[in-house]
Amino acid sequence: MKTLAILAAAAAVPMTAGAQVPAQPVVVVDGTILDVTAVGKTSMTPDVATIRAGVVTQAATAEAALADNAQRVQRVLAALKSARVTDRDIQTSTISLQPQYRYGENVPPVITGYQASNTVSVRFRDVARSGAILDALVKVGANQIDGPNLSIDKPEAAEDTARTDAIAKARARAEVYARAAGLRVDRILSITEGGGYAPPPPMPMMVARMATKEMADTAIAPGEQDVTISTTVRFLLK
């Protein structure tokens, strides 16, 4: 038993030693450290418009409100399919059914009817056609529009351009500091990237007008969006 105990204790020693974390070597830099934060930027025309189209209906009973709403939503979905909007770009966003009340003094509220709403999120990959499609949706029963939220479908190439711009700006700024200090830029020690492209928030909701022959066609101007990348570059000056 004593022999077994001694062997167990001896076997435990290497495990304890192996569990120790070796000390990290201290890197001594021969020169002056300079950290520069720069934001690179480029612009692109948004190629995707996301809009929420909804149908709001009211009726005396919950069943009637939902039934009427369902029929109108089916017409909205059919119009989207006719406009060649794919299934992957149509998603149900919200469905709700709420009682409507009449309020009076010193009496409990009385339910006067029900309001049903169904909203779908629609992604248009042809921004130029999105306004005309919205007009078609209003004609078949959509009476609530939210958006548009314009975005860039694949911002990776633009982000790479912004990264190149950020590094160039950081380098130019480091050269200014180096000259002012009587030094020169020797090399880059590290690069840290901050935030990238984020699409702007959607525009506030608007209630669609009743479709008439006299109403002007809805137009959506995509404009341009900035794609920015923030970088922090550590330079060695000598």
Side-chain angles (χ1 to χ4, degrees), residues 131-142:
I133 296 175
L134 285 178
D135 291 339
L137 296 183
V138 172
K139 291 180 181 179
V140 297

Side-chain angles (χ1 to χ4, degrees), residues 3-228:
T3 303
L4 291 175
I6 292 172
L7 290 175
V13 173
M15 293 178 63
T16 304
Q20 294 178 353
V21 179
Q24 296 294 326
V26 178
V27 179
V28 179
V29 178
D30 180 19
T32 300
I33 300 297
L34 172 66
D35 290 332
V36 177
T37 298
V39 177
K41 184 177 72 171
T42 188
S43 298
M44 282 189 68
T45 299
D47 52 5
V48 175
T50 302
I51 297 172
R52 299 194 339 158
V55 176
V56 179
T57 55
Q58 294 180 342
T61 65
E63 182 180 6
L66 277 177
D68 184 23
N69 191 276
Q71 291 179 359
R72 297 194 190 192
V73 169
Q74 288 301 319
R75 292 198 293 267
V76 168
L77 295 176
L80 290 172
K81 297 294 180 62
S82 298
R84 300 188 301 278
V85 179
T86 62
D87 290 340
R88 67 178 179 138
D89 291 330
I90 304 172
Q91 184 179 52
T92 298
S93 179
T94 58
I95 298 176
S96 68
L97 177 66
Q98 301 289 338
Q100 303 296 294
Y101 294 96
R102 182 178 66 245
Y103 297 91
E105 293 185 4
N106 302 321
V107 294
V110 177
I111 295 178
T112 59
Y114 292 85
Q115 177 175 288
S117 65
N118 190 329
T119 305
V120 293
S121 177
V122 187
R123 195 162 41 191
F124 299 104
R125 299 182 186 274
D126 186 352
V127 177
R129 294 182 60 239
S130 57
I133 296 175
L134 285 178
D135 291 339
L137 296 183
V138 172
K139 291 180 181 179
V140 297
N143 53 12
Q144 201 168 51
I145 302 295
D146 182 7
N149 182 15
L150 299 171
S151 60
I152 299 169
D153 186 31
K154 296 179 179 179
E156 291 81 5
E159 288 177 334
D160 287 344
T161 301
R163 289 184 179 99
T164 302
D165 184 47
I167 296 299
K169 288 178 179 177
R171 182 90 189 193
R173 201 169 301 164
E175 296 285 356
V176 172
Y177 278 106
R179 287 195 300 270
L183 302 170
R184 62 176 176 82
V185 176
D186 182 69
R187 60 192 174 95
I188 292 176
L189 297 178
S190 66
I191 300 174
T192 304
E193 182 173 305
Y197 166 74
M203 297 177 66
M205 178 176 288
M206 64 178 182
V207 178
R209 299 166 297 172
M210 294 299 294
T212 63
K213 294 182 179 179
E214 291 77 16
M215 66 180 290
D217 293 337
T218 300
I220 295 178
E224 284 191 341
Q225 285 183 0
D226 290 337
V227 178
T228 61

